Amino acid sequence: MAEVFVTGIGLVTALGCDRETTWSRLLKGESGVGPLRLFDTAGYRTHLAAQVDDRCLVLPATAAPVLRHCSRTSRLGLAAATEALTDAGLPAAAEEECPWAVVFGGGSAGLFEAERFLQRRLPRGPRVRALNELIEVPQDAPTDRVAEVFRVSGPRVTVTTACSSSTVAVGLAAEMITAGEVDVALAGGADGLCRLTFAGFNSLRAVDPDPAGAGTDSLRDLVDAFVAFMTGSSPIARIYLQLAGRGLTDPAIANVFPQPLQPKVCARIANASHALERDLQGGFATGNCVPVRRT
């Protein structure tokens, strides 16, 4: 069974356009939350979000015809994937097709552009054109766009499990490598702000009018874009970490079964660590919860 290494990382967040800037500002305790400028927030409970700076979405190395039909979410994914590939010591523009996998988490895809089209279409009727804004509505559009730009010819998988999508995608990509389906994978995800998700979180009261308040997070460009370059063969540039295993559960299962499944998930991760020939020196955990406040 192949070992899985992360050899490149790319980030595009409200804190910065790349991994180093984001990490540096995180260590300083800075926040990316501020006034939402992407669309009008009149009537919402909050007017804040952790919006990515539009300057992060400028992609000079990507062909103009490709960008013409790119959604904001796809641009996030392309920017992060470019950094991850470069970080792994690989050219972002391959001359030949690469038999890698692209496993991306997401959900909103091109909804922001579709909402913008609909906003013009309703008052003006069929005279409104620009149907190209509907091209990337399917949830797998960012995955396809990343594979197209970087000439990845292997499996393409899109994971939509809300806030855990990118993490699940990384675990799934690791399993594809250990199973021998591929030697290399681009894994992570991208999800951009749109009116639908912003309104949904507002309806759940899962937002806070104060960027430093005691409530839950203001809606963000959902991690925005995170891409890890993973390989099961010889590490290309450096090794950030080795993935030993993963566990997955659904908190909603507690509404059906009286006993939580978290201990079983932890046991699965622990069993995976025993498969390593050396002691497990590090760990990685993630989770998310959106409390529903009843009125």
Side-chain angles (χ1 to χ4, degrees):
M1 184 172 64
E3 295 181 315
V4 182
F5 303 96
V6 174
T7 61
I9 297 176
L11 286 174
V12 179
T13 74
L15 287 172
C17 299
D18 53 47
R19 183 189 66 251
E20 295 302 327
T21 303
T22 297
W23 185 244
S24 174
R25 295 189 64 189
L26 276 175
L27 293 179
K28 295 176 183 178
E30 298 181 22
S31 172
V33 176
L36 176 58
R37 306 176 304 277
L38 198 60
F39 49 80
D40 185 13
T41 59
Y44 289 102
R45 300 177 189 278
T46 184
H47 309 289
L48 302 172
Q51 179 183 332
V52 169
D53 193 315
D54 287 343
R55 289 174 293 183
C56 300
L57 307 181
V58 177
L59 305 170
T62 305
V66 174
L67 293 177
R68 187 175 301 123
H69 301 305
C70 254
S71 66
R72 189 169 182 276
T73 300
S74 287
R75 286 174 177 259
L76 288 168
L78 289 170
T82 299
E83 183 182 21
L85 287 170
T86 303
D87 188 39
L90 292 172
E95 296 181 359
E96 299 181 356
E97 290 187 346
C98 307
W100 308 337
V102 177
V103 189
F104 248 46
S108 65
L111 279 181
F112 169 70
E113 288 74 19
E115 292 167 345
R116 189 170 54 186
F117 170 81
L118 186 61
Q119 191 176 34
R120 297 195 311 273
R121 177 73 164 76
L122 288 176
R124 296 177 56 188
R127 292 175 297 173
V128 174
R129 303 295 177 89
L131 287 174
N132 61 296
E133 289 184 303
L134 304 179
I135 290 177
E136 293 212 344
V137 169
Q139 293 176 330
D140 56 356
T143 309
D144 289 337
R145 190 67 72 182
V146 168
E148 172 194 356
V149 169
F150 298 110
R151 306 196 66 185
V152 177
S153 60
R156 304 178 187 179
V157 181
T158 300
V159 179
T160 304
T161 55
C163 301
S164 63
S165 299
S166 297
T167 303
V168 174
V170 170
L172 180 58
E175 289 189 354
M176 295 174 70
I177 291 176
T178 57
E181 296 180 33
V182 294
D183 292 328
V184 172
L186 271 169
D191 218 0
L193 282 164
C194 65
R195 294 171 179 83
L196 178 66
T197 50
F198 193 74
F201 275 76
N202 272 265
S203 297
L204 287 170
R205 298 175 182 267
V207 292
D208 199 309
D210 180 1
T216 56
D217 293 341
S218 295
L219 186 67
R220 55 202 183 282
D221 276 3
L222 303 179
V223 177
D224 300 315
F226 160 69
V227 177
F229 181 83
M230 304 161 61
T231 176
S233 55
S234 300
I236 295 176
R238 66 176 63 82
I239 298 176
Y240 282 108
L241 58 90
Q242 179 180 355
L243 294 178
R246 69 166 180 141
L248 180 65
T249 187
D250 182 357
I253 201 70
N255 296 326
V256 181
F257 295 100
Q259 297 298 324
L261 296 183
Q262 281 81 353
K264 294 183 179 180
V265 175
C266 293
R268 179 176 177 182
I269 297 175
N271 290 336
S273 70
H274 292 318
L276 294 174
E277 294 181 359
R278 51 190 175 276
D279 294 336
L280 186 62
Q281 299 296 327
F284 177 78
T286 185
N288 62 85
C289 179
V290 179
V292 178
R293 302 173 185 172
R294 303 186 184 276
T295 58

